[in-house]
């Protein structure tokens, strides 16, 4: 498979991409010009990055202006950072929810124990009610 490191293939790819896209940037659709005659120079952009398994095949290449090619990487990094922040936020929410549910269950357990001890009661700590005192002849 030819690679863009080969100068002949790179020149062929530039011409082919320029014709295929009618001399327009793939992303912003502005006219592409050569470095010698205009501001917007044609650069070759991989749609799927080589790091992520993309190839130098013409199907994976597009012609882009320098500005779009340069800023596309920053946009992808920003998108990646937003996704990571979203995932981290979701993990924090889940952790907080788990902690709250554990705290609630522990509090429910303690409340249940306290209620059970009050119902069973300790004879020494219990004060007799008025009704109980009268029936026992104390009042």
């Amino acid at each position: 498979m030819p690679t863009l490191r080969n100068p002949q293939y790179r020149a062929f790819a530039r011409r082919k991409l320029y014709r295929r896209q009618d001399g327009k940037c793939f992303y912003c659709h502005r006219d592409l010009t050569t470095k010698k005659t205009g501001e917007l120079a044609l650069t070759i952009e991989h749609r799927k990055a080589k790091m992520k398994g993309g190839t130098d095949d013409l199907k994976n290449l597009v012609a882009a202006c320098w500005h779009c090619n340069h800023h596309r990487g920053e946009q992808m990094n920003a998108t990646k950072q937003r996704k990571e922040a979203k995932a981290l936020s979701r993990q924090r929410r889940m952790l907080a929810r788990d902690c709250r549910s554990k705290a609630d269950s522990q509090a429910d357990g303690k409340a249940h124990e306290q209620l059970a001890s009050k119902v069973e009661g300790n004879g020494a700590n219990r004060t007799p009610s008025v009704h109980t005192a009268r029936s026992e002849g104390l009042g």
Side-chain angles (χ1 to χ4, degrees), residues 123-136:
N125 293 338
R126 231 173 47 177
T127 55
S129 65
V130 175
H131 184 270
T132 309
R134 285 188 186 154
S135 64
E136 292 176 356

Side-chain angles (χ1 to χ4, degrees), residues 10-122:
R10 188 171 48 243
F12 165 76
R14 289 173 71 85
R15 284 191 306 273
K16 198 77 163 165
L17 294 172
Y18 186 84
R19 283 190 216 124
R20 182 173 75 186
Q21 294 172 206
D22 295 324
K24 306 268 187 211
C25 173
F26 182 78
Y27 300 107
C28 67
H29 305 289
R30 290 188 286 183
D31 288 330
L32 296 169
T33 59
T34 62
K35 283 186 179 180
K36 294 178 183 175
T37 59
E39 307 172 0
L40 295 175
L42 181 147
T43 60
I44 298 175
E45 169 77 6
H46 290 85
R47 293 177 77 182
K48 182 176 182 181
K50 289 185 80 171
M51 285 177 55
K52 296 182 179 179
T55 64
D56 286 338
D57 189 34
L58 285 175
K59 294 176 185 175
N60 188 43
L61 299 176
V62 294
C65 65
W66 181 88
H67 183 267
C68 290
N69 191 351
H70 179 72
H71 291 287
R72 183 166 179 258
E74 291 176 7
Q75 291 171 348
M76 290 176 73
N77 288 338
T79 303
K80 184 178 178 182
Q81 288 173 349
R82 278 194 300 273
K83 286 181 181 179
E84 288 173 354
K86 213 179 225 185
L88 182 61
S89 176
R90 185 172 45 247
Q91 288 174 350
R92 287 180 180 161
R93 282 195 310 270
M94 290 173 63
L95 180 62
R97 185 181 62 217
D98 289 346
C99 289
R100 279 195 305 270
S101 66
K102 285 180 184 176
D104 290 346
S105 66
Q106 288 174 352
D108 289 345
K110 288 180 183 176
H112 180 67
E113 289 172 8
Q114 290 172 353
L115 184 61
S117 67
K118 285 183 180 179
V119 169
E120 291 172 5
N122 245 341

